[in-house]
Amino acid sequence: MSIRHRLAQRRFRRRTDDGWAPTRWALWKQPRIVLGYVLAVEFLTAIVLVSTFGLVSVTVSDWIRFGVLLVGSAIHLEAARDIERLRKVGAEGIPYVNLKGMWTFAGVLLLPPPMAVALIFCTYLHSWLRVRRVPPFRSVFTATTLVLAGAAAAVVLAAIRPGVYPGYPSGPLGLVAVVAAGLAYWFVNYALIVGAIMLSNPDAPGRNAVGRLSDQLIVAGSLGLGVATAALLLSQPWAVAVLLLTILGLHRALLVDQFQTESRTDPKTGLANARFWHEIARREFAGAERTHSPLGVLYLDLDHFKTINDTYGHRAGDEALKAVADELRHEVRDDDLVGRLGGEEFAILLPQTSAEDTALAAERIRRRVAALAITITTSNGPVVCDTITCSIGAATYPDSGNTLDELQMAADLAMYQAKDTGRNRVISAPTGKTES
């Protein structure tokens, strides 16, 4: 198969985070209309915070509930972190939804406003640090929309039964109150997020900003779980741990199956498969073009890998592939993406990475693979294999090419040059436009 034909099969799509278009990390570098919108929402949030701070006294029970919700949110996020990272990376210009509402909406129902705000910001700070480091202003903006959503829910609760909030009335009136509060919470957050997406992506179809109905059902489910969590905290606080275990089991089982069904993960290595890697790479490249930022691509091929399959069998080869994949995954940053293109060939995407740093990363990876000692299973028992090496081709936008096809071809040709000149080495693509 020719290089050009192979490249024709590698199609990418632009990446967005939380539905925003790929832009610079600094808020002040956003388009004026986006900057104004974000600052207006945050200014309104500041007014709400100043007007509500200190209006409600805080009790020991409030601190206990705050602690339970904060710990529950942290455990939930850590247990589902890898899944949520893939879901967030895979967002295609639509609102990114999650189950955080299970904890934040419960806080809105039960906690004094200052504590509910603290819970929201702590939850999103933890998410920003552990799931995917999007520009900080985006996480702050999302948290502020939830603060305004929580304020709307609080107004509804206070209007339906004055003097009860924080909390909600019992009986049928309580059902009406939490449903109305949930609708207010959802509508304000959803409207503000959709507005940001539409302003950030003016050329995209409006239906992209609106998102999918199935995603809004997830939001509804998370708010329902928030009501259940609040009810348990009021009556049987210990039962929240049981609810958390149940949610974790369902969350992981359902979403892992979803991603396998959508064929985004290579079953042998757990890495992104070729289709998903290419999809994400196109989005990254579009973002690099828009922001004039560098983008590194590495193509990696294991040397003489067929010898392992021929000598020890294909099961041993699969074990070796998985071990190499684990090494690659641990060597790169959280925002980098490692994929298996097929056979013993891998690709690594390095956003915001210069040509020099791309070459340094490739050399670190080459050394790590060369130092790998893998215990593989054979018909004669376990055998230690320490002879695996790799050849790596490195290319960087815009130094190695001005289009996506040029960048891919440059990395591919550099990898084959590394193999042709002795293997177990890194070759960086020359600067300038790649010739076919």
Side-chain angles (χ1 to χ4, degrees):
M1 182 183 294
S2 68
I3 293 175
R4 183 169 294 279
H5 182 62
R6 290 198 337 224
L7 291 178
Q9 295 178 334
R10 295 172 180 174
R11 296 297 178 224
F12 304 86
R13 303 184 73 177
R14 181 179 64 180
R15 179 171 84 184
T16 58
D17 296 299
D18 291 339
W20 296 64
T23 51
R24 295 180 183 272
W25 275 55
L27 173 59
W28 57 87
K29 293 183 179 180
Q30 308 308 309
R32 288 185 178 181
I33 189 169
V34 175
L35 175 62
Y37 183 81
V38 171
L39 292 179
V41 171
E42 293 179 353
F43 179 72
L44 181 59
T45 303
I47 293 177
V48 171
L49 292 178
V50 171
S51 62
T52 58
F53 189 82
L55 292 181
V56 181
S57 61
V58 177
T59 67
V60 174
S61 296
D62 292 329
W63 282 111
I64 293 174
R65 291 164 185 163
F66 175 82
V68 170
L69 292 173
L70 188 63
V71 171
S73 173
I75 293 174
H76 188 180
L77 179 68
E78 288 297 323
R81 182 165 62 96
D82 292 339
I83 299 171
E84 288 303 316
R85 179 177 292 148
L86 282 176
R87 290 186 66 236
K88 198 166 189 177
V89 170
E92 300 179 1
I94 60 176
Y96 162 67
V97 302
N98 53 63
L99 294 179
K100 292 188 185 73
M102 172 181 176
W103 310 102
T104 58
F105 187 56
V108 167
L109 292 176
L110 294 183
L111 299 176
M115 300 187 79
V117 170
L119 177 67
I120 290 170
F121 277 103
C122 288
T123 298
Y124 274 82
L125 175 62
H126 183 206
S127 178
W128 182 79
L129 291 172
R130 297 293 289 162
V131 174
R132 185 169 181 81
R133 295 195 178 188
V134 300
F137 80 86
R138 294 184 185 177
S139 289
V140 172
F141 175 81
T142 303
T144 57
T145 65
L146 287 179
V147 171
L148 293 178
V155 169
V156 169
L157 290 171
I160 291 177
R161 185 69 179 271
V164 175
Y165 184 79
Y168 52 89
S170 59
L173 184 60
L175 176 61
V176 172
V178 296
V179 170
L183 287 173
Y185 183 91
W186 166 80
F187 178 78
V188 171
N189 177 57
Y190 181 67
L192 292 173
I193 292 295
V194 168
I197 294 174
M198 294 182 70
L199 292 176
S200 182
N201 299 268
D203 298 328
R207 62 178 179 275
N208 287 1
V210 174
R212 299 175 294 238
L213 175 61
S214 59
D215 287 340
Q216 298 314 308
L217 292 177
I218 293 176
V219 175
S222 71
L223 297 182
L225 290 170
V227 175
T229 303
L232 289 175
L233 280 174
L234 288 174
S235 59
Q236 301 290 340
W238 59 267
V240 174
V242 178
L243 180 61
L244 175 60
L245 290 175
T246 303
I247 295 305
L248 288 179
L250 292 174
H251 193 166
R252 292 190 63 86
L254 293 176
L255 291 181
V256 165
D257 181 68
Q258 173 188 346
F259 277 103
Q260 288 177 342
T261 301
E262 293 179 358
S263 300
R264 296 188 174 192
T265 304
D266 175 60
K268 287 186 179 180
T269 62
L271 301 175
N273 65 10
R275 177 182 176 183
F276 187 50
W277 189 91
H278 290 144
E279 179 182 335
I280 299 305
R282 174 175 276 275
R283 301 175 195 173
E284 284 288 2
F285 187 84
E289 278 189 310
R290 178 175 296 191
T291 61
H292 305 290
S293 56
L295 174 71
V297 172
L298 303 179
Y299 278 5
L300 180 153
D301 192 81
L302 300 181
D303 300 326
H304 303 296
F305 189 76
K306 186 174 182 295
T307 304
I308 296 179
N309 285 328
D310 294 343
T311 304
Y312 303 113
H314 288 281
R315 179 181 176 186
D318 291 346
E319 292 178 358
L321 283 175
K322 187 177 186 305
V324 170
D326 289 341
E327 295 300 308
L328 297 179
R329 187 184 293 108
H330 287 105
E331 184 60 40
V332 301
R333 304 164 300 185
D334 284 347
D335 286 347
D336 301 332
L337 183 66
V338 184
R340 180 180 176 224
L341 300 184
E344 61 272 17
E345 186 177 353
F346 299 85
I348 304 172
L349 191 66
L350 306 171
Q352 301 284 336
T353 306
S354 65
E356 180 181 0
D357 289 339
T358 297
L360 290 174
E363 181 59 25
R364 289 197 306 269
I365 290 169
R366 184 198 66 79
R367 292 179 180 177
R368 184 157 185 160
V369 172
L372 186 61
I374 306 169
T375 301
I376 56 180
T377 304
T378 70
S379 57
N380 297 322
V383 172
V384 176
C385 177
D386 57 2
T387 60
I388 294 179
T389 60
C390 65
S391 300
I392 304 177
T396 311
Y397 169 80
D399 299 324
S400 305
N402 295 320
T403 68
L404 193 54
D405 280 354
E406 288 179 2
L407 186 62
Q408 289 180 269
M409 187 175 293
D412 214 23
L413 291 174
M415 182 188 73
Y416 278 104
Q417 185 180 354
K419 297 184 79 68
D420 292 341
T421 55
R423 294 182 170 84
N424 191 25
R425 63 189 62 203
V426 174
I427 297 291
S428 295
T431 59
K433 195 172 182 178
T434 303
E435 300 295 336
S436 59

